[in-house]
Amino acid sequence: RPYEYVETPLPYISDYSIKLGTAFYSLWYYIRLLIAPLQLSFYYGINYIQLQTLWSALPLLSVAIHIALLGGAVYFFKRNIFISFLLFFYLVQISLAANIVLPLPGIVGERVLFTASLSFAILLAWLLNNLLNKQPEPVATKKKEQSKTVTGAQTFNLSVSKAQIAALALILVFYSYQTIARNADWKDTITLFEADMPHLTPSAKANYMMAKELRRLYRTDKNLTAQQLEIQSAKAIHYYNQATAAYPQYAIAIEELAMIHAVELNNNSVAIPLFE
């Protein structure tokens, strides 16, 4: 479907330096989210994800990283097919959301990392097994050696070193805390939106979604008092104003803001200029 500008400006931009720069910035953002899933957002979109030229620092870093990942996948193809597969798997999966062939609404979306993160998790386990285990490998029997030569099967040392235990403890504490804390935000739509809005002020679409959800809730609340209507409509106005400040041509946000003044607040002197 055609995307609105507030979802992604890339289809509306002809400068290929900005198209590619923003695309590689989004790929960098995914790597950052894999390593440190901090400040997650229900929506990203324009202004929160800044447009970048290809020659900016982070897009160039992203280009270097992804060339290295592709080079590593090719290099290990005949040396360690396990590593090669993981690298290829990640690159193929994340390419679907790279904003190069097709734009992604929101520019960045955490959901697209779900399958690609499998590579990251397995690679992390492989690194823990191979870099931190200082205990000697068990001596293989002649039969196992022959089997390995013929079939290419791998043998694994399942013993755990103190360094591995320490690393696993840090990983479990960090990622488990992030997961549990984020789960609470997903209680319902409005809880999720309110949890993220403090850092999503620049995102026009996020502010619009927040305002629209607030308006939907109070307009469908049969027990709403006049005082509650005043409070909730003021909150919706606040987020509609932030949406239009982030993107002044946001027509539907301006229209719905005018509707609040006309219908809920009966203030036509404010509503008419907005409609116009």
Side-chain angles (χ1 to χ4, degrees):
R1 64 178 176 83
Y3 295 130
E4 299 176 70
Y5 188 86
V6 290
E7 293 179 291
T8 173
L10 296 180
Y12 303 92
I13 294 172
S14 57
D15 188 333
Y16 278 93
S17 174
I18 293 178
K19 282 178 176 285
L20 289 174
T22 305
F24 276 101
Y25 177 78
S26 68
L27 288 173
W28 154 257
Y29 208 96
Y30 290 130
I31 290 176
R32 186 189 75 77
L33 285 175
L34 282 175
I35 298 169
L38 303 171
Q39 196 167 284
L40 302 177
S41 304
F42 70 88
Y43 199 88
Y44 290 81
I46 60 167
N47 294 343
Y48 187 79
I49 300 296
Q50 296 287 341
L51 296 176
Q52 309 272 334
T53 66
L54 185 58
W55 311 112
S56 301
L58 289 177
L60 284 176
L61 175 62
S62 178
V63 169
I65 290 172
H66 286 85
I67 288 175
L69 291 175
L70 180 59
V74 173
Y75 175 81
F76 285 112
F77 188 74
K78 290 189 176 181
R79 294 170 176 83
N80 189 327
I81 193 65
F82 181 72
I83 299 300
S84 179
F85 171 78
L86 291 178
L87 297 178
F88 273 127
F89 185 86
Y90 175 79
L91 291 171
V92 169
Q93 290 294 324
I94 206 63
S95 69
L96 303 174
N99 290 293
I100 295 174
V101 178
L102 291 173
L104 183 79
I107 308 175
V108 167
E110 293 155 18
R111 62 195 180 280
V112 303
L113 270 177
F114 180 70
T115 306
S117 67
L118 181 63
S119 291
F120 175 75
I122 296 174
L123 184 60
L124 186 59
W126 185 89
L127 290 171
L128 287 173
N129 185 66
N130 286 270
L131 298 184
L132 296 181
N133 197 336
K134 299 300 183 181
Q135 298 180 15
E137 292 286 342
V139 178
T141 64
K142 186 175 181 181
K143 184 176 180 180
K144 285 183 179 179
E145 289 282 2
Q146 291 172 346
S147 173
K148 185 177 179 181
T149 302
V150 173
T151 64
Q154 296 187 28
T155 58
F156 294 96
N157 183 356
L158 300 181
S159 59
V160 181
S161 67
K162 292 181 179 179
Q164 285 176 314
I165 293 173
L168 283 169
L170 288 173
I171 289 170
L172 286 171
V173 167
F174 175 70
Y175 290 110
S176 296
Y177 173 80
Q178 293 300 321
T179 300
I180 294 167
R182 189 58 173 167
N183 283 345
D185 295 338
W186 281 83
K187 176 185 176 182
D188 50 40
T189 304
I190 196 65
T191 303
L192 176 65
F193 287 6
E194 288 180 334
D196 292 357
M197 285 314 302
H199 65 264
L200 283 176
T201 300
S203 174
K205 182 75 172 181
N207 277 281
Y208 170 75
M209 293 169 71
M210 177 68 182
K212 190 175 183 69
E213 180 65 8
L214 282 168
R215 190 165 186 249
R216 183 191 71 80
L217 289 173
Y218 72 67
R219 284 171 64 84
T220 55
D221 186 352
K222 296 180 180 179
N223 300 314
L224 191 73
T225 65
Q227 184 180 15
Q228 290 172 327
L229 174 62
E230 183 179 353
I231 294 171
Q232 294 305 312
S233 61
K235 287 174 67 176
I237 288 170
H238 169 73
Y239 289 111
Y240 276 124
N241 283 331
Q242 288 195 163
T244 56
Y247 180 51
Q249 291 77 39
Y250 207 163
I252 191 171
I254 298 170
E255 179 189 13
E256 291 178 17
L257 177 59
M259 289 293 292
I260 292 180
H261 287 287
V263 179
E264 282 94 298
L265 303 180
N266 196 25
N267 190 345
N268 290 339
S269 62
V270 175
I272 290 172
L274 290 170
F275 280 127
E276 290 175 343

